[in-house]
Amino acid sequence: MTEAAFQIRAVGPQDRTALWQLYPAAFPDEDLLPLLNQMLEAQEAPPKTPLMLVAEDQAGVIGHIAFTPCDCAPGSAQLSMLAPLAVDPARQRRGVGTALIAAGLSRLRSQGIAAVYVLGDPAYYGRSGFQPDAGLAPPYPLPEEYRTAWQSLALTGEKPQGKLVVPEYWRDPVLWGP
């Protein structure tokens, strides 16, 4: 059976309803809609707007990814954080998430972003080149079992040392714990 083709494009205002349906389906035990709504609002308020992409096929939006511009304390490196990433449960394990990651990393590399950080499954994100990172601390202390889940990928040059500084909408400790 041949997998239906999908395209990746920037998120637009017309995608809100589809995203509001995608996230509860992809994460039935988490309420990421408040975070998603804040990110969509931030996308409309430059200069530090998240890079948000969707994957869509003939049926509509099947995946979404966001990359949030971040800072480093101390330092001046241009950094980004990958999160959230959601794929329609019926389309998971078919390359949609991996394609969204690759498209986002390509765009960030062309923008001169030094490194991208993610808190997630090392086996999954490792396939895209992410590796555990102890050089740049996350905004909140992580439980010991999450140690290898804090990962990074250098895009241009060396990864900075210090602490990742995130926008206000990521400053909820609940987003960083079990």
Side-chain angles (χ1 to χ4, degrees), residues 94-114:
R94 298 183 184 172
V96 176
T98 301
L100 282 165
I101 293 170
L105 293 176
S106 176
R107 291 179 189 205
L108 293 173
R109 192 174 283 114
S110 71
Q111 294 172 10
I113 300 299

Side-chain angles (χ1 to χ4, degrees), residues 49-62:
T49 60
L51 168 63
M52 298 206 304
L53 305 172
V54 293
E56 69 178 348
D57 65 10
Q58 70 283 357
V61 172
I62 59 171

